[in-house]
């Protein structure tokens, strides 16, 4: 037996000639390493009389009470609202949430994940950028840290995804608008920042096909997350140039719709469901301010509470299961149509 004092697992790895990850794996589950490796580790333990610091191991295994919450753009009221509910659920369960915003930037999203990995949280609730994310980076993070994706799915990444059913949103608005007036055109950004926008466009096209109606897509220029101003500028152009194919407009999201309503007010275009009005406008999300627009915005609403509750519940199950579920789960919650004054 060696009389050399070993202070930590790194020193033991150096002296024994066995990699640090392999030794950590052995201490978590001796049967998870090959028998020859296990014999070598156990012989080295006897030789150096080394015993690991159990408290430090628990810290490394993320048995803390910290939860990371990552959203792509905190200034977006949708993310502010769902982050508020997620934080409340974590606090009520005795955890300490920490909120991060990636500001729509892949590099910043990666840096946040690196920071979280170093903080060793119990788990993470991540709304990724989606197609703008570094898939391999996010995938590796989800292997290292118990992580539930919400809002924006990356197929096959993470233990579970919890979000809203985009077809449920659009099917309800298209059916309602088509039944109560002329057919809606779909108003969207040419290069949308949020990947849910693409799913909503596909849902619009599918619903118009099912209803045997001619679809009309109106694309506007603009990049980034400043959707209100993008919507306003796009609406000013299509209204001034008389580019709208119908007098019913279905916006991809409420923030674009708020910009559209602003342009209508600026140009003196009346919005509403009355026959005397020039145009109808509807949208998706139930932005926290959509009920306060003028006129108030008809929209399909997220079930904020159910998405947040299920995401947090699934994360706690993942943490208790040691970071792995039997199968990757995907849970979608249906929208609810809210009829207001704009359509």
């Amino acid at each position: 037996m060696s009389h050399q004092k070993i202070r930590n697992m790194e020193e033991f790895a150096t002296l024994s000639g066995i990699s640090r990850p392999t030794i950590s794996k052995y201490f978590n589950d001796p049967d998870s390493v090959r028998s020859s490796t296990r014999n070598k580790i156990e012989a080295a333990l006897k030789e150096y009389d080394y015993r690991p610091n159990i408290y430090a191991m628990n810290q490394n295994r993320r048995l803390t009470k910290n939860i990371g919450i990552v959203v792509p753009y905190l200034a977006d009221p949708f993310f502010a609202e769902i982050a508020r509910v997620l934080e409340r659920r974590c606090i009520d369960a005795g955890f300490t949430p920490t909120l991060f915003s990636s500001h729509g930037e892949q590099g910043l999203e990666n840096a946040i994940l690196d920071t979280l990995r170093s903080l060793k949280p119990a788990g993470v609730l991540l709304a990724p950028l989606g197609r703008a994310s570094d898939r391999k980076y996010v995938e590796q993070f989800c292997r290292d840290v118990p992580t539930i994706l919400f809002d924006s799915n990356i197929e096959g990444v993470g233990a579970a995804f919890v979000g809203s059913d985009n077809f449920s949103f659009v099917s309800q608005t298209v059916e309602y608008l088509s039944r109560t007036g002329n057919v809606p055109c779909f108003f969207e950004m040419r290069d949308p920042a949020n990947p849910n926008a693409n799913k909503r466009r596909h849902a619009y096209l599918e619903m118009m096909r099912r209803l045997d109606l001619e679809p009309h897509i109106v694309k506007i220029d603009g990049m980034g997350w400043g959707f209100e101003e993008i919507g306003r500028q796009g609406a000013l152009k299509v209204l001034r140039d008389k580019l709208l194919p119908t007098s019913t407009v279905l916006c991809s999201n409420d923030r674009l719709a708020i910009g559209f309503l602003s342009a209508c007010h600026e140009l003196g275009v009346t919005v509403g469901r009355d026959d005397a009005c020039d145009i109808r406008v509807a949208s998706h999300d139930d932005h926290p301010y959509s009920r306060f627009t003028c006129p108030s915005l008809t929209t399909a609403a997220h079930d904020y509470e159910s998405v947040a509750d299920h995401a947090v519940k699934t994360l706690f199950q993942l943490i208790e299961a040691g970071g792995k579920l039997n199968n990757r789960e995907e849970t979608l919650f249906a929208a609810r149509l809210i009829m207001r004054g704009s359509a």
Side-chain angles (χ1 to χ4, degrees):
M1 179 184 296
S2 170
H3 295 288
Q4 181 176 348
K5 178 68 175 178
I6 298 177
R7 293 173 296 178
N8 53 47
M9 201 177 295
E10 284 74 13
E11 290 188 3
F12 177 69
T14 300
L15 289 169
S16 64
I18 304 165
S19 73
R20 169 68 171 76
T22 300
I23 292 171
S24 179
K25 190 176 181 182
Y26 166 84
F27 283 123
N28 287 329
D29 179 9
D31 292 331
S32 66
V33 301
R34 291 181 299 180
S35 58
S36 58
T37 303
R38 185 166 63 250
N39 292 338
K40 186 176 180 181
I41 292 172
E42 290 172 353
L45 288 172
K46 291 180 180 179
E47 179 179 355
Y48 296 107
D49 192 28
Y50 171 67
R51 294 294 179 271
N53 184 322
I54 299 301
Y55 175 77
M57 285 181 61
N58 283 343
Q59 289 292 99
N60 288 335
R61 290 170 62 190
R62 299 177 295 276
L63 299 182
T64 69
K65 301 295 280 186
N66 300 318
I67 297 289
I69 301 173
V70 186
V71 298
Y73 195 70
L74 191 55
D76 187 318
F78 162 73
F79 290 114
E81 176 63 14
I82 198 164
R84 180 190 68 80
V85 181
L86 290 170
E87 282 187 313
R88 188 71 259 174
R89 297 297 181 271
C90 291
I91 292 168
D92 290 345
F95 286 80
T96 302
T98 304
L99 182 59
F100 299 85
S101 172
S102 58
H103 295 272
E105 300 175 16
Q106 183 188 101
L108 185 52
E109 182 175 81
N110 289 351
I112 289 169
L113 298 183
D114 285 341
T115 298
L116 282 167
R117 186 185 282 106
S118 67
L119 293 174
K120 297 181 175 62
V124 170
L125 295 158
L126 169 64
L129 297 175
R131 63 177 182 169
S133 293
D134 183 332
R135 179 188 172 93
K136 290 185 178 179
Y137 217 89
V138 176
E139 199 167 20
Q140 182 59 56
F141 177 82
C142 292
R143 284 197 288 264
D144 295 341
V145 180
T147 302
I148 301 298
L149 302 189
F150 70 96
D151 181 64
S152 178
N153 195 12
I154 301 178
E155 296 292 336
V157 175
F161 168 73
V162 183
S164 297
D165 183 350
N166 284 293
F167 187 83
S168 169
F169 279 81
V170 180
S171 61
Q172 292 184 67
T173 52
V174 170
E175 190 281 329
Y176 166 71
L177 294 171
S178 301
R179 175 169 48 83
T180 57
N182 59 9
V183 298
C185 61
F186 191 76
F187 183 82
E188 68 165 355
M189 293 168 59
R190 194 177 306 280
D191 187 21
N194 192 316
N196 286 316
N198 296 317
K199 295 178 181 178
R200 292 177 182 180
R201 182 197 324 111
H202 294 153
Y204 165 79
L205 293 171
E206 174 61 19
M207 271 304 295
M208 296 295 278
R209 184 191 67 79
R210 292 186 186 185
L211 296 171
D212 197 24
L213 299 171
E214 182 181 359
H216 302 281
I217 305 289
V218 178
K219 291 183 177 291
I220 60 170
D221 294 328
M223 297 182 65
W225 288 81
F227 300 159
E228 292 86 359
E229 182 59 21
I230 292 170
R232 174 179 168 273
Q233 292 293 341
L236 286 173
K237 178 174 177 54
V238 300
L239 289 169
R240 284 170 175 160
D241 296 346
K242 301 186 184 305
L243 299 177
L244 288 179
T246 81
S247 60
T248 300
V249 178
L250 178 59
C251 296
S252 178
N253 65 64
D254 284 357
R255 293 182 61 201
L256 284 177
I258 289 172
F260 197 103
L261 292 178
S262 176
C264 289
H265 176 74
E266 188 172 333
L267 297 177
V269 175
T270 57
V271 179
R273 64 175 71 184
D274 296 337
D275 293 338
C277 293
D278 299 315
I279 195 170
R280 296 188 301 164
V281 178
S283 188
H284 309 99
D285 284 340
D286 195 27
H287 181 305
Y289 303 150
S290 62
R291 72 187 65 185
F292 302 114
T293 59
C294 189
S296 56
L297 188 59
T298 291
T299 186
H302 284 280
D303 189 343
Y304 291 93
E305 297 285 333
S306 293
V307 170
D309 286 347
H310 193 75
V312 171
K313 176 184 175 182
T314 306
L315 179 62
F316 291 163
Q317 290 174 346
L318 178 63
I319 293 169
E320 291 171 2
K324 291 183 179 180
L325 299 177
N326 291 332
N327 297 294
R328 187 177 190 270
E329 301 175 1
E330 291 192 11
T331 306
L332 301 179
F333 288 90
R336 177 172 57 93
L337 181 64
I338 299 179
M339 292 176 286
R340 298 193 179 110
S342 69

